[in-house]
Amino acid sequence: MPSAPPPEALLVTVAPTGAETSKADCPQLPTTLPELVAAARECEAAGAAMIHVHIRDDAHAPTLDGERLADTVAGLRQETALVVQLSTGGSVHDPLDQRLKVLDAAPDSCSLTMGTTNFGDDVFSNPWPFVCDLYQLSQEREVVPEFELFDLGHVTSLTRLLKTYGLPYGGKVHCDFVMGVPGGMPGTADALVAGVAALPPEVTSWGATGIGRSTLAVGLAVLSKGGHLRVGMEDVLTLARGFPVQSNTQLVERAVAMGALAQRRPMTTDEARALLGTRPAA
Ligand code: KMH
Ligand code: ZN
């Protein structure tokens, strides 16, 4: 088994698309497969090692279509060495049974949110039985989950899940705090410190992302606590007030520059696979 990357190695995950922003509002959002692959290649060159993927249909609307998901995984694998993580969160409108089927596309990793969260005016539904089903399916299919923690209570649920069902495929436990969602924990250094302090001992690595304006506060707090970074247009659409993000690469470059100030260098894709315990690259 490959050894764990050194502490200075920084996992940068890019979440380029998400399910919330419309193409009409943000034409630079990568919503087609060629756009996604081009963004992935540029972000890999800029220092990203993992991609968190939501896909869109021909009308640029969020979809969990199985064939499109499989084509997306294949396209990303062909053109990049990135760890491919498919979202099982989808959009707030996606039914639970379709979200389970995402694993049929055989990604390296999948997101797995540890509880239900108010999500703006909507509800992001993750009932406990669904969390357990998805987790056991990920173990069976040898897909490494990234545990998404939107609130402090989700950390408690993660502890319960690991106690009940054991370790993920690959034996590593990686989680990601998703902070600043209206309805979840705030995107602040204080909230991050509380979350990290509550993590169960099985956790081998963690990262965080701050939604919207909390992106910088969370990113800087992550670096001072020794965690990893997720950035991308799923989470933030402005570089600063009045300066719209033009490409995901800009956000990855900024994350890499922030890491450099903290004397962290971007992790390679091989190091990311070792960190996360994913199946070897095809
Ligand atoms: N789109 C959000 C409702 C995930 O990817 O797993 C859920 C989400 C989390 O983005
Ligand atoms: Zn997502």
Side-chain angles (χ1 to χ4, degrees):
M1 179 172 290
S3 53
E8 70 271 17
L10 171 68
L11 173 64
V12 178
T13 299
V14 63
T17 309
E20 281 69 44
T21 301
S22 74
K23 185 78 164 175
D25 286 345
C26 185
Q28 64 274 37
L29 193 73
T31 52
T32 67
L33 184 53
E35 287 171 349
L36 180 69
V37 169
R41 284 171 56 116
E42 275 187 26
C43 289
E44 181 180 13
M50 177 151 74
I51 185 164
H52 167 86
V53 180
H54 291 252
I55 62 164
R56 303 292 178 100
D57 63 17
D58 287 339
H60 308 283
T63 176
L64 292 179
D65 179 78
E67 209 175 303
R68 265 178 199 262
L69 283 169
D71 288 349
T72 301
V73 172
L76 289 168
R77 286 209 176 117
Q78 199 173 326
E79 297 292 330
T80 77
L82 294 168
V83 177
V84 178
Q85 177 184 94
L86 289 183
S87 166
T88 63
S91 89
V92 289
H93 307 294
D94 287 322
L96 300 179
D97 58 340
Q98 277 188 34
R99 289 169 52 193
L100 284 173
K101 287 202 168 69
V102 166
L103 296 200
D104 292 352
D108 303 305
S109 171
C110 66
S111 58
L112 201 173
T113 296
M114 288 311 305
T116 295
T117 310
N118 281 326
F119 199 86
D121 294 345
D122 296 302
V123 175
F124 178 29
S125 186
N126 295 283
W128 178 249
F130 169 73
V131 169
C132 295
D133 287 351
L134 180 54
Y135 185 48
Q136 290 175 91
L137 193 61
S138 74
Q139 289 171 315
E140 209 178 289
R141 301 282 180 89
E142 304 187 347
V143 175
V144 170
E146 175 181 272
F147 300 101
E148 310 294 347
L149 309 170
F150 285 68
D151 221 332
L152 202 50
H154 293 187
V155 182
T156 314
S157 297
L158 172 62
T159 305
R160 179 182 176 200
L161 189 78
L162 296 172
K163 204 173 274 232
T164 310
Y165 297 104
L167 293 175
Y169 169 74
K172 303 286 171 57
V173 180
H174 178 74
C175 34
D176 183 51
F177 294 94
V178 183
M179 309 179 70
V181 168
M185 72 181 115
T188 61
D190 289 344
L192 183 76
V193 168
V196 172
L199 290 173
E202 293 89 343
V203 170
T204 48
S205 58
W206 63 269
T209 183
I211 303 300
R213 264 183 292 167
S214 71
T215 186
L216 289 173
V218 169
L220 293 167
V222 163
L223 290 168
S224 67
K225 288 289 287 176
H228 300 281
L229 292 175
R230 173 175 126 174
V231 294
M233 292 173 75
E234 172 166 349
D235 299 339
V236 62
L237 292 167
T238 54
L239 292 168
R241 194 186 292 272
F243 290 90
V245 173
Q246 298 301 336
S247 73
N248 281 283
T249 316
Q250 284 181 315
L251 294 170
V252 171
E253 284 170 351
R254 184 167 74 172
V256 169
M258 285 164 60
L261 284 175
Q263 302 188 353
R264 306 275 302 276
R265 49 106 185 143
M267 191 174 283
T268 67
T269 52
D270 281 344
E271 286 175 323
R273 286 177 200 282
L275 180 86
L276 302 168
T278 58
R279 289 181 304 248

